[in-house]
Amino acid sequence: MTQDEERTRMFRIRAEEPETLSARQVLFRVYDALLDKGYNPINQIVGYLLSGDPAYITGHMNARSIIRKLERDELLEELVKFYLKGKMNEEDQG
């Protein structure tokens, strides 16, 4: 080996920007992953939201990692907003 080959080399790797997802996008991705694995997505997501236990969420499609990036109260807030907006639209039409 030459002296040049024995030197420590430094490689620079550009870090990828982590994908930032909204609470709504997180819920849809987790829902799809749970459905894909044959679980009842509603029961599993409710179990996670009530207990905080990530075991309710599959690791399939990185769903467990994705859902843990947000606080549970952020997810609940999104669900309540979505529900109430739907109810308000129903009242406006009815």
Side-chain angles (χ1 to χ4, degrees):
M1 271 192 200
T2 66
Q3 193 175 20
D4 203 32
E5 290 175 336
E6 292 179 13
R7 290 186 184 182
T8 301
R9 295 178 191 245
M10 182 183 284
F11 296 94
R12 290 200 172 106
I13 300 172
R14 192 176 78 184
E16 291 184 26
E17 299 261 338
E19 185 178 10
T20 305
L21 300 173
S22 70
R24 181 177 290 192
Q25 290 170 315
V26 167
L27 287 166
F28 282 128
R29 285 197 183 183
V30 170
Y31 181 92
D32 289 342
L34 289 164
L35 201 59
D36 195 44
K37 287 299 280 185
Y39 295 112
N40 180 324
I42 303 300
N43 289 348
Q44 296 303 112
I45 292 171
V46 167
Y48 171 72
L49 292 172
L50 291 176
S51 71
D53 185 356
Y56 279 98
I57 307 300
T58 180
H60 180 61
M61 295 168 48
N62 214 21
R64 186 176 297 147
S65 177
I66 291 169
I67 203 166
R68 294 184 78 193
K69 290 181 181 178
L70 293 176
E71 296 294 326
R72 288 181 296 152
D73 63 329
E74 292 175 83
L75 298 169
L76 284 167
E77 184 179 333
E78 179 62 33
L79 291 168
V80 171
K81 279 184 197 175
F82 185 79
Y83 178 80
L84 291 177
K85 282 181 185 177
K87 284 294 186 187
M88 290 170 60
N89 288 339
E90 285 177 14
E91 287 180 8
D92 290 343
Q93 293 174 2

